[in-house]
Amino acid sequence: MTAVTLGIPSVRGVPRRAATPAGKPRPDTPLLVDRYGRVARDLRVSITTACSLRCTYCMPAEGLPLVPRDELMTPEEIGRLVGIGVRDLGIRDIRFTGGEPLMRRDLEQIIGAARAAADDGMAALALGPTSSAPTSNERVRIAMTSNALGLDKRVDALVAAGLDRVNVSLDTVDREAFATLTRRDRLDDVLKGIRAALAAGLAPVKINAVLLPETLEGAAELLAWAVEHGCNLRFIEEMPLDADGQWTRDDVVSAADLLGVLESRFRLTPAGREDPSAPAEEWLVDDGPATVGIIASVTRSFCGACDRTRLTAEGTVRSCLFGNEETDLKALLRAGATDDEVGDAWRSAMWAKPRAHGSDAVELAADAFAETQRSMGAIGG
């Protein structure tokens, strides 16, 4: 059995704001800008490393080591960081991830704290000397990425707490293939959770499917299912973030491979992206209105338009999936830091964001990745 750890990235405290990489001065802006001109407005918050499935590309059979409960961010700490992000740093989209967020018994409290903090943050901006009252379209969106196991039992409470949308990880609708891939025979329960999300009004429900050689043959069937049930399907090229470290470039199923399979059954028309920072390229399915998206994170890198900032379950801010430096915001909160101090630490962390895939090397190939000390399950999707 291969030993798997969460990894020990380099963790920083409060960096001096002037101490920026290569001496390049940070512009005088409150936003989460980096040295390459990107601005982070999309916050991903991991709240656990625990999961109810054991997907082969994400976790070893025995799962990942769990973060001790007292090291996890509390709902109050998450709410405070969300408030700082929205009010002071320009965050406008929030998504909770894991592991599996539904493994947190206090998930409803987490969503509620985030919703209250986000709404208060927008209200504070509306009262500012140069701000106008935010319109309904400016409400901060709160979403969750989940495997949907048990979602049917909690979705109403989550919506009441302030959840706006859900993304569900589902790679196949073939029961045998699902059981093999996830090491759990739970497909029917996942589909039950998706139906509950649709019934609760969380549309559009987005389905995330990792492209794998063993599921490529069933990709068209998954798309047919998504179209039938009114879900937005997005396929994602597999990145080297597996806990076992078995990823190789030769095993990657590319967007081109997938399009060849899908076009044998559907007529696909390029529709571009929802917005320049959206990772998924979209295609109309049989002239629409249904679409299918492809996130070609390996073969068609979109790092140049990345607008994400990430918090791990332990409360460290991570500027890039493949950048190993982390700044410990939770420690600052627990040490009594002010909101301004926390915001400055967050800004400095994002200013140091690598150019692409964890590296600042200009000559780095589009499909090359810096080695990361954490897997996706430990970082949060």
Side-chain angles (χ1 to χ4, degrees), residues 108-332:
E108 290 81 359
Q109 287 71 44
I110 290 172
I111 297 294
R115 169 53 62 205
D119 290 350
D120 288 348
M122 292 302 288
L125 291 174
L127 296 175
T130 60
S131 300
S132 59
T135 67
S136 59
N137 291 332
E138 291 177 299
R139 182 176 188 259
V140 174
R141 294 177 295 180
I142 295 181
M144 174 178 73
T145 295
S146 170
N147 62 28
L149 285 176
L151 182 58
D152 56 306
K153 299 177 180 64
R154 301 175 68 179
V155 67
D156 290 337
L158 291 170
V159 170
L163 184 68
D164 296 310
R165 195 168 56 76
V166 65
N167 287 11
V168 177
S169 301
L170 177 65
D171 304 312
T172 177
V173 287
D174 179 274
R175 180 175 176 178
E176 183 177 345
F178 180 92
T180 299
L181 185 63
T182 67
R183 302 185 178 102
R184 301 288 189 273
D185 186 9
R186 301 292 302 276
L187 177 61
D188 290 345
D189 295 323
V190 171
L191 298 182
K192 185 186 298 184
I194 294 172
R195 290 193 296 269
L198 290 167
L202 289 177
V205 172
K206 292 187 177 182
I207 305 296
N208 294 338
V210 177
L211 275 170
L212 301 167
E214 57 266 40
T215 59
L216 180 60
E217 184 178 348
E221 186 62 31
L222 180 58
L223 177 55
W225 178 91
V227 171
E228 177 186 355
H229 291 84
C231 296
N232 292 358
L233 176 61
R234 304 185 305 175
F235 290 96
I236 306 170
E237 289 181 346
E238 185 189 11
M239 293 184 290
L241 288 164
D242 54 313
D244 291 326
Q246 300 300 308
W247 183 93
T248 67
R249 179 62 180 81
D250 292 340
D251 291 334
V252 171
V253 178
S254 70
D257 295 334
L258 172 66
L259 289 172
V261 170
L262 297 181
E263 287 175 335
S264 67
R265 181 167 174 176
F266 302 97
R267 183 172 57 259
L268 302 181
T269 307
R273 284 185 163 89
E274 291 179 297
D275 65 68
S277 296
E281 296 180 70
E282 300 281 343
W283 279 260
L284 291 173
V285 179
D286 292 337
D287 298 325
T291 62
V292 62
I294 302 178
I295 300 176
S297 45
V298 176
T299 62
R300 303 178 188 178
S301 171
F302 44 84
C303 293
C306 181
D307 67 343
R308 295 178 184 173
T309 181
R310 301 174 185 273
L311 290 172
T312 67
E314 303 98 318
T316 60
V317 62
R318 192 177 179 97
S319 66
C320 174
L321 272 175
F322 292 89
N324 285 310
E325 276 203 351
E326 298 179 2
T327 299
D328 195 341
L329 300 187
K330 183 194 67 186
L332 295 178

Side-chain angles (χ1 to χ4, degrees), residues 86-107:
V86 170
R87 185 189 64 245
D88 300 334
L89 307 177
I91 294 297
R92 293 297 177 266
D93 286 283
I94 299 163
R95 185 187 301 177
F96 290 101
T97 68
E100 171 50 53
L102 289 166
M103 298 294 284
R104 286 283 297 254
R105 294 183 179 179
D106 56 356
L107 179 59

Side-chain angles (χ1 to χ4, degrees), residues 6 48-49 65-72 313-314:
L6 290 177
T48 182
T49 57
L66 298 181
V67 177
R69 186 177 182 84
D70 63 351
E71 293 182 17
L72 291 171
E314 303 98 318

